[in-house]
Amino acid sequence: MSVWDDLVGQEPVVAQLSSAAEGADGLAHAWLFTGPPGAGRVTAARAFAAALQCEDAPRGCGHCASCHQVLQGTHADVEVVRPEGLSYSVKEARALVLRASSSPTGGRWQIVLFEDADRATEAAANALLKAIEEPPARTVWLLCTPSPDDLLVTIRSRCRLVTLRTPPIGAVADVLALRDGVDRETADVAARAAQGHIGRARRLATDPEARRRRAEVMSVPRRLTSVSPAVAAAESLVAAAKAEARTRTEELNEAETAALRQALGESAKGRMPRGTAGALKELEARQKSRATRIERDSLDRTLLDLASYYRDVLTLQLGAGSDLVNTDLAPELRTAARHGRPEDTLKRLDAIMACRERLDANVNPLLAVEALTLALRTG
């Protein structure tokens, strides 16, 4: 098994990266990994980092100690930057630049793998630019964003571009069936529902709670019978996103807070030394920002699921002949297609995209989703 095995349906990318790793003497020092959600941007960047640090030939063997350490996130010379809040600040960027300037301690390269680099503020991006323009001889930057346009043109012009595509549905289903032991029918349904997003497909195939949450979302269109149910549906969607964020952050928040309090010198009676309140407030702010991000990400997945419903309806209305995403809802989708007009379905899809834009602009989630469900009701 090599480090490239998890790059499902990305044969051109594997060829590009493995060739670069083999001829590392002329290696570009900044790489930009782009592609739609679920395509495997971070997976590709991590595999490339492992290949660059690999001790054996061909590079990226997947068996040596360096490959294992990179893939497990424990390699001393590979720093993974994962913005946890809504943005990545200039203060964090400057500290990162200092760390990236150090020489490798044991590996062949000092590698910075920056997930969600599009979350860097403009000031943070400018702070990173100088380091990417003139990196130390043994430093390699791996930046991940959905689109090249998400970064400053001055940064992306200095990066070697790696473009990933949405993996084929069949390839994702094969992975679920062969590697995860999922029965073929469940694997096919999950792969279609996730629209090629490998991680999402795996959760839907293996986690009953994930399937239940998605089924709740997909029931929204048939629940929009009047204004009151539409408002109630919006409230339930936002509440579910908040609950997911709370579940994912509570345990982590407690561990982080306890570790910081101990590091700051908390006494046996729980008293903190003077002058430490600022550090605790800064941590609390970061944790709140992370929870908000998780909530927004959850709502965005909800909106994409709703969009897949109306995409299927429109496909049937236009007789496009394309495969349905939600094959398990085929009878309901055909009924909705017969009783609606393509123009109204397009309006509903536009309303979903507008809601995504509002959430991205920090509009109150409940207000944004209420406006959406009312628009979905009327078409």
Side-chain angles (χ1 to χ4, degrees), residues 354-374:
C355 184
R356 294 183 72 197
E357 292 175 0
R358 292 187 187 108
L359 290 172
D360 195 48
N362 292 324
V363 172
N364 181 282
L366 183 56
L367 293 178
V369 179
E370 281 182 353
L372 169 63
T373 54
L374 291 172

Side-chain angles (χ1 to χ4, degrees), residues 97 121 330 339 369 375:
V97 168
T121 64
H339 291 86
V369 179

